[in-house]
Amino acid sequence: MSGRTHTLEVAAVVRETTDAHTLVFSVPPQLHGRFAYRPGQFLTLRIPSERTGSVARCYSLCSSPHVDDRPAVTVKRTAGGYASNLLCDTVRAGDLITVLEPGGSFGPRGLDGELLLAAGGSGITPLLSIAKSVLAAGRGNIVLFYANRDRRSVIFAAELERLERRYPRRLRVLHWIEAERGLPNARRVGELLRRHRRREWYICGPQGFTTVLRSAAAAVRVPAARVHLEEYRSLTANPFEDSTLPAHLTVAALPPPAAGADDGSTALEVDIDGRTHHLGWPRTARLLDVLLDNGIDAPYVCRESACGTCVCAVRRGRTRMVRNEALIDEELAQGLTLACQTLPDSADVHVSFDL
């Protein structure tokens, strides 16, 4: 099992609503550095299963590294959802849960900007972490658009009210209650949020909600580079089980190499966790596979380009990505890439995970 996997004790379980519970974790002092996180990131939890040994689920951190002493995630029960129902029904303080270290690239680069946070249901969890961090440790101001089925399903309702009272000039919460106003649509949401089109937009929620918000942003002419999405996805691989494929099996549907590139192995220099490794990198192998096959504990969760956990920087040489759903144009221009999707495109490449 990966060295980035740890067993944490549940310090407390907080019932937020009938269908949502927050799990607060106790992190021992020797792991504080490993569990340092940025607002908007998530933890991946291992949930035991009699059928498969375990299943893995990602839950956003609702806590703030600038405010809260302990990391916490919020789990919302879903109909027929094995993991969410098990966590909500059975986990108690004192239980032990295996988790991966924090991952994900969703969230602002700084805490001083003007933000529009848009949440649908339990999509509030990473946005609460961002809001608390901005208000406590930055100078930014926030408009939070929050859609829910009814008022009883509003997660963190009391906490949001407290934050509004404490920061009346820096936080404004706009609730959209479907039982009272109907489902949100692009036209009505666009009209409501038009005055905030110059802000950076951060959107999290079910796919239907994110589709509406993206359409609303486009309708009021928010540049695509200022719209950031955190979408809920099911993992197709379990990072807690030994299911890593050898590099030579990851060759389907790859883009062609650049003109003039040879077919040999690339000389790879990679910086990770303060150490430098020198490896051969086959032209048809993705970077993450090469690292794992050589026993290097690279960070990853989804292997599908969506979570951003395996982000790294190309310091020298050229690479190309098979697929990208996590990085925006500005980050690509800075040389960032996703190890799970990256192929070499020159004879010599230097990559760093120590950003």
Side-chain angles (χ1 to χ4, degrees), residues 56 234-240 243 300-304:
S234 297
L235 299 179
T236 59
N238 186 343
F240 297 104
S243 58
Y300 75 96
V301 173
C302 73
R303 300 180 72 106
E304 300 164 8

Side-chain angles (χ1 to χ4, degrees), residues 237-317:
N238 186 343
F240 297 104
E241 305 296 335
D242 186 15
S243 58
T244 301
L245 295 175
H248 68 273
L249 294 182
T250 60
V251 297
L254 302 183
D262 60 58
D263 295 328
S265 179
T266 286
L268 172 64
E269 179 181 350
V270 58
D271 303 326
I272 185 168
D273 292 335
R275 299 181 61 187
T276 299
H277 305 265
H278 296 272
L279 308 168
W281 184 1
R283 288 298 176 90
T284 58
R286 307 189 195 199
L287 175 58
L288 178 61
D289 294 325
V290 173
L291 299 178
L292 296 177
D293 285 349
N294 282 275
I296 298 173
D297 189 22
Y300 75 96
V301 173
C302 73
R303 300 180 72 106
E304 300 164 8
S305 88
C307 72
T309 301
C310 64
V311 65
C312 53
V314 179
R315 304 298 191 196
R316 183 180 67 252

Side-chain angles (χ1 to χ4, degrees), residues 116 143 145 172 174 176 181 183-198 201 212-222:
L116 183 286
V143 173
F145 173 78
R172 183 184 180 193
L174 305 174
W176 185 291
R181 306 181 66 174
L183 288 170
N185 60 57
R187 180 184 61 81
R188 297 174 67 192
V189 172
E191 291 173 352
L192 180 65
L193 301 181
R194 180 182 300 276
R195 69 183 65 181
H196 308 299
R197 62 183 180 275
R198 292 185 175 85
W201 287 36
V212 167
L213 265 293
R214 289 181 67 180
S215 298
V220 298
R221 299 183 180 179
V222 180

Side-chain angles (χ1 to χ4, degrees), residues 59-81:
Y59 295 104
S60 295
L61 287 147
C62 60
S63 53
S64 163
H66 303 282
V67 176
D68 301 299
D69 295 330
R70 293 169 169 171
V73 300
T74 299
V75 180
K76 184 177 181 180
R77 188 190 306 275
T78 58

Side-chain angles (χ1 to χ4, degrees), residues 10-37:
V10 177
V13 178
V14 181
R15 185 176 183 270
E16 306 289 356
T17 68
T18 303
D19 295 328
H21 294 70
T22 294
L23 310 183
V24 183
F25 291 102
S26 179
V27 179
Q30 65 270 24
L31 292 180
H32 282 177
R34 290 287 191 173
F35 280 88
Y37 62 96

Side-chain angles (χ1 to χ4, degrees), residues 75-90:
V75 180
K76 184 177 181 180
R77 188 190 306 275
T78 58
Y82 169 77
S84 64
N85 282 279
L86 183 67
L87 292 172
C88 288
D89 289 338
T90 67

